[in-house]
Amino acid sequence: MTASPEAIELTKVAAAAAADKKAADIIALDVSEQLVITDCFVLASAQNERQVQAIVDAVEEKLRERGSKPTRREGDADNGWVLLDFTDIVVHVMHTEQRGFYGLDRLWKDCPTIEVPRAQPPGDDEDDAG
């Protein structure tokens, strides 16, 4: 069993929203083979608590526009990790240090990845070419 097309689409929307707020190391995983409670995880890193909150707000806003509201929200930006559960997908927005400590990337490394938008590095604007 693989992730549903709807879950993959929501995953891409969430990742794009995180990328718009300059989230680092955005990874999307199809965890449907391992978990029965969700299809996809989105992992995104932030440099500080304010950025964690900005990413969380952007993800919620973009998914709400698609008719999807979180069924559960855990953690807060002050603690460096917010989990947003949209049933079909779960979004983890973590302070860079928290992400390294908890190692979700390593824990779920055997799951297939989903191609998603990434934040552009600073100074790498497409408009600057030429």
Side-chain angles (χ1 to χ4, degrees):
M1 184 172 154
T2 60
S4 70
E6 177 65 19
I8 291 172
E9 183 61 29
L10 291 176
T11 296
K12 291 179 178 184
V13 170
D20 286 348
K21 293 301 178 183
K22 309 294 187 229
D25 301 321
I26 302 168
I27 295 175
L29 302 169
D30 179 342
V31 296
S32 61
E33 294 281 325
Q34 307 295 324
L35 295 174
V36 295
I37 58 172
T38 193
D39 281 352
C40 302
F41 277 178
V42 176
L43 308 175
S45 297
Q47 295 299 314
N48 56 53
E49 290 77 14
R50 290 179 79 180
Q51 188 183 19
V52 169
Q53 190 60 54
I55 294 166
V56 166
D57 291 345
V59 168
E60 284 185 320
E61 178 183 338
K62 291 297 182 185
L63 290 181
R64 191 174 299 116
E65 288 172 4
R66 307 262 320 184
S68 202
K69 295 188 307 186
T71 55
R72 194 173 76 200
R73 180 180 181 162
E74 293 185 14
D76 59 52
D78 291 337
N79 291 320
W81 186 352
V82 176
L83 178 147
L84 300 171
D85 184 349
F86 291 90
T87 307
D88 289 340
I89 74 168
V90 174
V91 180
H92 298 268
V93 182
M94 306 172 83
H95 192 281
T96 305
E97 292 174 10
Q98 295 277 30
R99 186 162 172 185
F101 180 78
Y102 287 102
L104 293 183
D105 303 74
R106 290 184 309 275
L107 193 65
W108 299 100
K109 70 179 185 223
D110 294 334
C111 295
T113 58
I114 300 166
E115 191 66 32
V116 293
R118 308 257 188 252
Q120 286 187 335
D124 194 27
D125 294 333
E126 293 173 7
D127 296 336
D128 292 343

